[in-house]
């Protein structure tokens, strides 16, 4: 009875361990191998910038129209609000602050949690159509892969150029560069800029402009309508250090120019940059990104070890249960036959 009871216990333990291994392998590992549903980070960029002083412009204070070397801070709130299978609704809420100017620009994306690219299918109202990476790279990014980046300022998708590998605060990283140029299509940023200026004011700005621009603009100023309408373009350069395991951003630099242009004879002539920033992630954001990457990597490593160990223990318990339930018969040696010659 004791043998049968112990074999039943071992059988139950074996089945439990194998079920636990299956749970880890087919539930926990896939969950940790894609964009987390509880993602919520607040990276901050800091640096300097040159920007248009709207108050001085409206007052006709030409000498103070341009603010140079102003402190710039960009707060990003990146989070996932909901998930549905492999689709996540991710938000990238951005606030740029410089010289008393505060410009919010919020973006909502439907992201494939595995590829981190745009999710397929109808994703609902308020979702910004896009293609390419927005908030991170996929898990275990491949340096040989052709990744693309969605630039929210221009609404275009551009290649991500792999540069090299390296390390930041003990984390192995892959360095990428991104360049995007085009018509400014972000409604939040465009809405903070004057759509047009009186012709007299544009003429007053001419002495502040480069000689080549003064030449192009000077001859055409009389032909332009009053007020003079502007077309804004964006020129963005990003250097990104992505975690080699998780694909998350560990460090980044953002340089961006918003340029006011006028249409002269069907050609856009750049008048002046109304916003030019040179920023990078601050130390605290880098430290937070490194700590988060270490924690998530530790969980992945632990899970990858636990699953096979538990599976092996489960199989061993089953084998022991079978052995105890059906022990091998102990064979006795055959009795020696009596030698008939010996009497």
């Amino acid at each position: 009875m004791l043998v049968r009871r112990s074999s039943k216990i071992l059988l139950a333990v074996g089945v439990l361990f194998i079920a636990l291994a299956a749970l880890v392998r087919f539930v926990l590992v896939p969950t940790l191998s894609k964009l987390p549903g509880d993602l919520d980070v607040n990276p901050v960029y800091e640096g300097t910038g040159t920007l248009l002083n709207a108050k001085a412009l409206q007052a006709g204070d030409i000498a103070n129209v341009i603010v140079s070397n102003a402190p710039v801070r960009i707060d990003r709130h990146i989070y996932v609000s909901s998930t549905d299978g492999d689709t996540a609704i991710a938000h990238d809420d951005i606030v740029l602050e410089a010289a008393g100017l505060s410009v919010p620009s919020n973006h909502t994306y439907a992201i494939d949690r595995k590829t981190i690219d745009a999710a397929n299918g109808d994703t609902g109202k308020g979702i910004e159509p896009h293609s390419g990476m927005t908030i991170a790279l996929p898990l275990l990014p491949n340096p040989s892969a052709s990744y693309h980046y969605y630039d929210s300022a221009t609404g275009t998708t551009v290649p991500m150029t792999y540069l090299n590998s390296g390390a930041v605060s003990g984390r192995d990283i892959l360095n990428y560069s991104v360049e995007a140029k085009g018509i400014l299509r972000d409604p939040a940023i465009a809405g903070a800029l004057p759509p047009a200026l009186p012709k007299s004011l544009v003429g007053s700005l001419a002495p502040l402009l480069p000689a080549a621009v003064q030449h192009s603009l000077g001859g055409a100023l009389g032909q332009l309508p009053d007020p003079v309408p502007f077309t804004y373009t964006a020129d963005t350069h990003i250097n990104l250090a992505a975690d080699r395991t998780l694909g998350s951003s560990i460090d980044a630099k953002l340089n961006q120019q918003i340029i006011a242009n006028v249409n002269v004879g069907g050609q856009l002539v750049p008048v002046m940059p109304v916003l030019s920033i040179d920023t990078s992630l601050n130390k605290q954001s880098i430290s937070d990104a490194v700590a988060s990457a270490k924690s998530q990597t530790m969980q992945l490593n632990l899970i990858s070890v636990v699953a096979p160990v538990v599976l092996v223990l489960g199989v061993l318990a089953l084998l022991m249960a079978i052995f105890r339930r059906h022990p091998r018969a102990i064979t006795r040696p055959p009795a020696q036959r009596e030698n008939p010659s010996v009497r």
Side-chain angles (χ1 to χ4, degrees), residues 51-54 56-57 60-67 201 205 208 272:
L51 63 152
L52 191 70
N53 186 336
L57 185 64
D61 184 5
I62 303 301
N64 295 305
V65 162
I66 304 298
V67 180
L201 190 53
L205 289 172
L208 302 177
M272 61 187 299

Side-chain angles (χ1 to χ4, degrees), residues 6-310:
S6 63
S7 67
K8 288 182 180 179
I9 294 174
L10 286 170
L11 182 63
V13 170
V15 171
L16 178 63
F17 275 20
I18 290 175
L20 181 59
L23 175 68
V24 171
R25 173 62 183 85
F26 297 107
V27 177
L28 294 183
V29 170
T31 299
L32 292 175
S33 300
K34 56 188 179 183
L35 185 69
D38 59 352
L39 175 70
D40 194 333
V41 295
N42 296 273
V44 175
Y45 293 74
E46 293 178 333
T48 58
T50 298
L51 63 152
L52 191 70
N53 186 336
K55 292 182 179 179
L57 185 64
Q58 292 173 357
D61 184 5
I62 303 301
N64 295 305
V65 162
I66 304 298
V67 180
S68 300
N69 297 317
V72 173
R73 178 185 172 100
I74 300 175
D75 287 275
R76 294 179 70 184
H77 184 198
I78 302 171
Y79 64 99
V80 171
S81 61
S82 64
T83 60
D84 183 5
D86 286 335
T87 297
I89 303 303
H91 304 262
D92 189 2
D93 296 346
I94 305 168
V95 179
L96 183 149
E97 295 181 343
L101 178 70
S102 181
V103 181
S105 178
N106 300 334
H107 303 273
T108 303
Y109 307 109
I111 294 178
D112 186 299
R113 298 174 68 190
K114 293 181 180 178
T115 66
I116 316 302
D117 208 324
N120 295 323
D122 183 11
T123 52
K125 186 178 178 181
I127 304 299
E128 185 171 342
H130 80 287
S131 175
M133 307 297 154
T134 52
I135 59 173
L137 268 68
L139 195 74
L140 298 172
N142 182 0
S144 301
S146 298
Y147 296 122
H148 288 77
Y149 178 83
Y150 175 72
D151 175 48
S152 60
T154 60
T156 59
T157 301
V158 295
M160 297 184 67
T161 302
Y162 171 69
L163 300 176
N164 52 40
S165 60
V168 173
S169 300
R171 295 297 301 177
D172 291 333
I173 52 96
L174 301 175
N175 289 308
Y176 291 87
S177 69
V178 174
E179 294 186 14
K181 297 181 181 180
I183 301 296
L184 177 65
R185 302 193 186 280
D186 188 320
I189 300 176
L193 301 172
L197 288 177
K199 187 184 291 188
S200 59
L201 190 53
V202 175
S204 300
L205 289 172
L208 302 177
L209 306 178
V213 176
Q214 291 184 44
H215 177 74
S216 300
L217 190 60
L221 190 58
Q223 304 171 15
L224 296 176
D226 193 7
V228 179
F230 285 124
T231 298
Y232 292 97
T233 56
D235 186 351
T236 304
H237 297 259
I238 299 173
N239 288 327
L240 171 67
D243 190 86
R244 190 156 197 162
T245 300
L246 301 174
S248 56
S249 177
I250 298 296
D251 195 3
K253 297 182 185 300
L254 169 64
N255 299 313
Q256 187 177 67
Q257 278 194 337
I258 307 297
I259 302 167
N261 304 263
V262 295
N263 192 317
V264 177
Q267 302 243 347
L268 287 181
V269 175
V271 176
M272 61 187 299
V274 296
L275 177 66
S276 179
I277 59 173
D278 182 4
T279 63
S280 57
L281 278 179
N282 64 15
K283 292 182 179 179
Q284 185 60 54
S285 295
I286 295 173
S287 177
D288 291 345
V290 169
S292 177
K294 286 181 178 179
S295 175
Q296 292 181 57
T297 301
M298 185 179 298
Q299 292 180 50
L300 279 172
N301 292 339
L302 180 62
I303 291 299
S304 64
V305 170
V306 165
V309 169
V310 172

